[in-house]
Amino acid sequence: DAGITQSPRHKVTETGTPVTLRCHQTENHRYMYWYRQDPGHGLRLIHYSYGVKDTDKGEVSDGYSVSRSKTEDFLLTLESATSSQTSVYFCAISDQGDSTEAFFGQGTRLTVV
Amino acid sequence: GENVEQHPSTLSVQEGDSAVIKCTYSDSASNYFPWYKQELGKGPQLIIDIRSNVGEKKDQRIAVTLNKTAKHFSLHITETQPEDSAVYFCAASEGTNAGKSTFGDGTTLTVKP
């Protein structure tokens, strides 16, 4: 398995509280991504990073922010969690080049009550 | 933006039969089409991928075909086994950023022994 660690693996939080999810990689890959997975929707891209301090929005970025201060860490923050952000969050990594593939972490199950 | 549609949403086959999952995409700029297998409680894992300069690719019991003109691609699994039971996702992306993908909604494959 690719060296991707997501933390925490499970979290229950209250509406309106801030939440930060962490993705840590040991592969030194350039790109990192945050996806959310909801029943019937597959995976949807929230934000991604193409280098340290270089990030961009994905399809469903509203209500989320990200930061990447080191190659190995990509943080996803929900500034004020809402029930609609209850989901399973996956981090992924990929390297640059035409023949690379994406590797996914094990996921973080977040419940906002 | 890109839109990927995947059919069927559920598929049940007898062990040893073949399974076919089909996807269509909308953006002609997409040039990388990965297929992922997701087992319960785990992140998606790449099983095969195809790039737009290739019409077909095979890896043991798994094959993928791509029709760029019609904008559709398909996953074929032959001689299915119970361990093939999982959720399968197709995806489409542009450029060399392998993880920045638009996903289909998934197909739950059940292989009956």
Side-chain angles (χ1 to χ4, degrees):
Chain A
D1 290 345
I4 307 171
T5 304
Q6 291 187 231
S7 58
R9 293 292 314 280
H10 303 270
K11 185 170 182 67
V12 179
T13 192
E14 293 186 349
T15 300
T17 60
V19 177
T20 296
L21 309 183
R22 180 182 184 237
C23 178
H24 178 78
Q25 62 146 330
T26 57
E27 305 296 323
N28 200 36
H29 281 1
R30 176 181 179 184
Y31 299 101
M32 299 185 75
Y33 316 83
W34 278 107
Y35 283 88
R36 62 178 288 173
Q37 183 174 32
D38 304 293
H41 283 283
L43 286 90
R44 293 180 290 176
L45 183 65
I46 304 171
H47 281 281
Y48 67 100
S49 169
Y50 45 96
V52 173
K53 298 186 179 176
D54 290 325
T55 65
D56 205 350
K57 296 179 179 180
E59 179 188 357
V60 290
S61 60
D62 287 349
Y64 302 94
S65 63
V66 290
S67 66
R68 191 171 179 196
S69 59
K70 298 184 291 185
T71 298
E72 58 266 35
D73 289 328
F74 193 33
L75 304 181
L76 177 71
T77 298
L78 292 65
E79 300 290 347
S80 178
T82 67
S83 58
S84 64
Q85 294 176 312
T86 292
S87 188
V88 180
Y89 292 85
F90 286 99
C91 173
I93 63 172
S94 68
D95 212 353
Q96 56 190 8
D98 288 342
S99 300
T100 61
E101 64 180 90
F103 300 92
F104 283 80
Q106 295 282 71
T108 293
R109 181 173 295 276
L110 176 68
T111 303
V112 183
V113 298
Chain B
E2 175 67 275
N3 182 52
V4 176
E5 294 191 356
Q6 182 172 347
H7 299 281
S9 57
T10 60
L11 180 59
S12 181
V13 300
Q14 288 294 136
E15 182 177 0
D17 287 350
S18 294
V20 180
I21 303 170
K22 298 182 178 182
C23 289
T24 61
Y25 63 99
S26 61
D27 189 350
S28 58
S30 291
N31 58 6
Y32 175 65
F33 306 93
W35 285 90
Y36 295 92
K37 177 182 181 182
Q38 186 178 27
E39 297 177 334
L40 199 61
K42 297 186 177 181
Q45 185 171 15
L46 182 76
I47 56 171
I48 195 167
D49 57 12
I50 191 167
R51 297 189 184 270
S52 59
N53 58 347
V54 175
E56 184 174 356
K57 184 177 179 180
K58 192 173 182 180
D59 182 3
Q60 298 183 0
R61 297 187 295 110
I62 296 173
V64 58
T65 59
L66 171 64
N67 183 325
K68 284 175 18 180
T69 303
K71 295 195 186 71
H72 65 70
F73 56 113
S74 301
L75 177 71
H76 303 253
I77 306 174
T78 59
E79 301 173 22
T80 54
Q81 301 166 5
E83 52 265 39
D84 293 330
S85 296
V87 180
Y88 291 81
F89 292 97
C90 64
S93 65
E94 179 185 349
T96 58
N97 197 339
K100 186 173 178 286
S101 295
T102 300
F103 281 73
D105 288 343
T107 296
T108 301
L109 173 64
T110 302
V111 181
K112 300 177 183 176

